[in-house]
Amino acid sequence: MGKLGVSDKGLIDLAYRSGDIISISAHTVHENDEFSYELGLDEKLVHKPALRDRGEAVCYYATFKTRLGGFGFAVMSVDDIKAHMNRYSKAASGFSPWSTNFDEMAKKTVATLQKGEGRGFSKVIKMVKSPKTGAYIFAEEMVLNEAVKDYFKK
C-alpha cells in the first residue's frame, strides 16, 4: 500500500480549499505581552502584544475560524516546540530552518498541529470506487491514530 505525504503548507492549503476554513494564523507570544487563554466549553484566547521591549518568546499559538462561525486554537510553549523539533526533525541539530528561523518553524508547527485533543487524530486519504459512477475518488477523513490501520482495511 502506498503512502501519501502532505507537507505542512499542503495541510493548510487543503484546509482553505475545503471551503470550511476562512482563516488560519499563527503568532509568537513574548514575555512582556499580555496573554491568556482558557480551555473548556467556553474557550477564549487574548493576546495583546507589548508595543516595545517585548522580551523573549515564551509560547506560540495558532487560530482558525470556520465559515459557519466556529473557531479553535492551539498553544505550545517554547519547551513544547523544542520537544517536537527534537522528536520529529532530523535536521534539528546543525544547519536547518530550525536553527536559522526558529520562530517561523515554531509557528508552522503549532499551526499544523491540532488542538490538544486533536493531536490523537490523523487525516487519512484513500482512493475508493464511487458507488454511483464507478470512478475512483479520494475520500478524506479524520481518524483516531490507533484506528488508521483499520480504516485502510475497509
Side-chain angles (χ1 to χ4, degrees), residues 87-149:
R87 182 171 181 191
Y88 295 106
S89 176
K90 294 176 186 169
S93 59
F95 183 77
S96 78
W98 282 104
S99 60
T100 60
N101 204 345
F102 183 87
D103 279 348
E104 291 306 311
M105 291 299 291
K107 288 189 281 188
K108 180 180 87 164
T109 297
V110 75
T112 56
L113 292 176
Q114 299 175 16
K115 294 169 52 172
E117 65 274 8
R119 291 187 189 154
F121 290 82
S122 293
K123 180 174 187 169
V124 293
I125 304 170
K126 75 175 179 178
M127 192 181 309
V128 296
K129 191 172 187 176
S130 169
K132 292 181 182 178
T133 65
Y136 284 91
I137 58 172
F138 288 103
E140 301 178 22
E141 280 188 52
M142 295 302 290
V143 177
L144 282 168
N145 288 339
E146 53 269 12
V148 169
K149 286 183 182 177

Side-chain angles (χ1 to χ4, degrees), residues 48-104:
K48 297 179 181 176
L51 296 178
R52 59 181 160 300
D53 302 322
R54 293 182 68 196
E56 296 292 318
V58 293
C59 68
Y60 299 86
Y61 70 93
T63 62
F64 69 89
K65 289 183 186 178
T66 69
R67 181 176 47 83
L68 297 176
F71 68 93
F73 61 85
V75 178
M76 294 178 75
S77 70
V78 170
D79 289 341
D80 291 339
I81 294 287
K82 286 180 180 177
H84 178 85
M85 171 190 73
N86 291 329
R87 182 171 181 191
Y88 295 106
S89 176
K90 294 176 186 169
S93 59
F95 183 77
S96 78
W98 282 104
S99 60
T100 60
N101 204 345
F102 183 87
D103 279 348
E104 291 306 311

Side-chain angles (χ1 to χ4, degrees), residues 29 33-38 44-49 61 73:
V29 178
D33 294 352
E34 183 181 323
F35 180 75
S36 65
Y37 70 99
E38 297 175 14
K44 181 180 178 181
L45 184 142
V46 175
H47 180 203
K48 297 179 181 176
Y61 70 93
F73 61 85

